[in-house]
Amino acid sequence: MANAPSLTDIRFEHHPTGLGVNETRPRISWRYESKSASLVKNWLQTSYEVEVKRKNSSETKPFKSDSDSNILVPWPDSPLTSRDAASVRVRAFGVSSTEAASTEGQATPTEWSDWASVETGLLERKDWSAHFITSSKRTALPVGGKRVEYFRPIRLRKTFRLDSKPARSRLYITALGVYVVYINGTRIGEEHMAPGWTSYRHRLQYQVYDVGDLLQAGQDNTLAIEVGEGWYAGRIVWGEGVTCFYGEEIGALAQLEVGPEKGSGQILVQTDDKWEWKESPILSSGIYDGEEYDMRQDYQDWTKISSQEQKSSDWQAVKKLQFPETTLLASPCPPVKVNQLVKPVSISESPTGKILIDFGQNLVGKIRIHSLSRPSGHLLTIKHAEVLENGELGVRPLRCAKATDRITFSDNILKDYSPQFTFHGFRYVEMSGWSPSDATEPLTLESISAAVMHNSMLRTGHFECSSAPLNQLHSNVTWSLRSNFLSIPSDCPQRDERLGWTGDIQVFGPTASFLYDGAGFLGNWLRDLIADQKQAGGVVPFVIPDVMPNGPWPHESHAIWDDVVILLPWALYQWTGDDLPLRECYDGMLDHLKVLPRDHDGLWDTEVWKLGDWLDPSAPPDNPALATTDSTLVSDAYLVHITRTMARIADVLDNSKDKARFEAEAEKLAQAFRYKYIAGSGLVVGDTQTALALTLVFNLHEQGDQAGRALAAARLAKWVKAAQFKVSTGFAGTNAILPALSLDLPGGTKEESNLQYAYKMILTDECPSWLYPVKMGATTTWERWDSMLPSGEINPGEMTSFNHYALGSVAAWMHETIGGLALAEDQKGRVGWKSFRVQPRPGGDVTSAKTEYLSGYGWVRCEWQVVELGGTKGKKFVMDLTVPANSTAVVVLPDADKKGQHDGLTVGSGGHHFECRFEDPGEWPPKSNLPF
Ligand code: BGC
């Protein structure tokens, strides 16, 4: 339609494809195209129409709604049942404001969207008639006769006959362990480490595949599954760790169903005791230690063997396992895939003569060897590490993870090889048994790649600016997200840890929400959190899935970490407008507030151990919790903040009683905080970057005490200058320090503004700072400010990862303050980018930025630059903005104060161009207050 935008991207819940949803009433969303050709000015949706075609009917049912929402609108038809399917298309009606004025709101329709399909998985336990199966003897390798060290992967298969090609076929499959599956020799799907890691005792995911193209009518077909130990039975947690945490038998469950396009189908084949099994030629496959593959023990074509050959004697009958007490659910997350292949940038020899391959990028995944033949018995050993030390592979930070893959050759060619059931965090590889000087097939830059693995979420956020080091910092943050969103949001991806530490994602959630559409992935993880928290009696476990209920750390509450149960659902709600995570986590939120140990004033018990401002730069290598800022103060500041957030959450959930209760409680706690920590003048007894920043950002001064706030802000500026603009915050203070320096303090003049200090801090590259790792050549975010010491030596501490996203939480400030895109509520209090704030605040020597975000409405784009006008004319600020249909932006330009437009101008959809005069927000570069 001429004056209406195009509808695109129909989605169901937060599901990546719509195939295999768990909801009987999947909510529907769509976006609007924001290509400049299709941008319609000031367009707001006034109603929509959905058409639904059900699986067993030729009828198309129309549904109309007067709603102006295009995000997660209710399922309009009767509920779906198990294995049910429907096609849906949408068109919307809307007005542009000029049109509304002239035609009294005569809404024009968009074109119909394309049809999108949705299909449920197996929704109930009774839908599964398959059995979990395993090998009939244990395939674990006992080490030292003491405990199970590794499970050797197993292969399972079944040959079956198919008379005619079905119109519709679905494979439902999962494993106790991790699996790959084949039909007639072809690997199904592109997922790695399936079914993914969840809190298996509560929730086990299965995958749904359409396998129609692979089935062959009129002949035998083979379904073949290989299963490795994965997180289910492999070694997890650090040091000697825990093995068999979830169970002592690895196995698989699969059900292949076929049928006509419409009507009910039949189960063609399912895992049961008629299957057979054999040991895999993969001798061991550990997540921490890597994989060992013996080509001599491999047997070709096992995935497509015919029924006669199938009777070969060394395949044995499988054993049925008891169906576990867990909820099976179709995975709502985008699968873990190989999303990129990275070629090496160099191959060199180390001082001790080792062959080192540098991929030029720290990443997570596994190597891929394109093709190689070597004599039978030849051993290739591939060790992985993130950094070099003294020119050699720096493996010490990996602690007890061997991160080594080994291949023993047969006479066959190794083709397109990657280890099957492991992943490593690495930039460098040490290769033994293959070198550039080999006479046949020498190792070259073309012989090997690094396959980058992570959940294949949709990339939604991009940022670049005129500062190359800041762009590298942003790239590092993005790579650390990609590296640590592999099945769960993990702390780090390389050492003997790789756990879902709650504090890390709590501080990084807002940054992550900009960069990728993580709603499905993080929402799924939160469901594990709720299940595990309940199991733990209301205390949020340190890591989710909780694999440390019995230590090594004491099971008790911690601020910042446990606060994830409140702050992450809140962040997801703010970014997507979906209140489901709030509803699902609400009881867990209440439990967290109930069980945390308090003093008589309601604040945290001062005596209990707290992680606090973990890993601030002054914390010694062997004691990451020994921060400069009192850990109780940090925990208390967060406690006031989360209690206030609870009042807002209760409000969203229409729970007025709880809203009032939490408002009162938050006020009481804020008063207790002031009594304990804030002097009458406004200064904060903590008197550190973290203490002052949290007090300012969480607004902990008495309401209206502007003088006190201003004094605290000045004090923060003083310490920042005294630190020569270097950072002294840890996990808790890092996402607050730059926002605190960027606050507009009432009564402050431009010259008194601290914004230039924020810019100076982010642009400083002296250790500790965000750009110090960039200066040292980092390509991911480090766990410590000085994971690599200025001397080039690796920090001697145990916690020295080079791929931790927590300190990358600063990127949220970059998107908001440099880029200019920030969350806001519309006039009706709606979130999720229905309305957003556009307020770039240029500073430092950053003269331009381009920021893009794919909101639930469509692409938001903001591109600005500061232009010198020449002579004494000063500078001008120029900005182009794209606002997607059905949303509005509140634009605050740099001269807004001067024009009395501090609240900004509201603009509707379309492309907008702005210009205004620009004055630097203060002296640049600002000077330290030290005399030397
Ligand atoms: C992890 C951190 C985590 C911390 C909690 C570490 O071992 O790597 O990122 O939050 O422990 O204390």
Side-chain angles (χ1 to χ4, degrees), residues 97-111:
S97 51
T98 44
E99 204 179 57
S102 59
T103 61
E104 302 263 280
Q106 268 286 322
T108 44
T110 65
E111 298 282 1

Side-chain angles (χ1 to χ4, degrees), residues 491 495 497 501 504 553 561 611 614 731 783 799 804:
D491 58 338
R495 67 181 178 221
E497 197 149 358
W501 280 96
D504 304 46
W553 281 13
W561 275 255
L611 294 166
W614 181 258
F731 275 29
E783 177 174 23
M799 311 270 174
H804 247 68

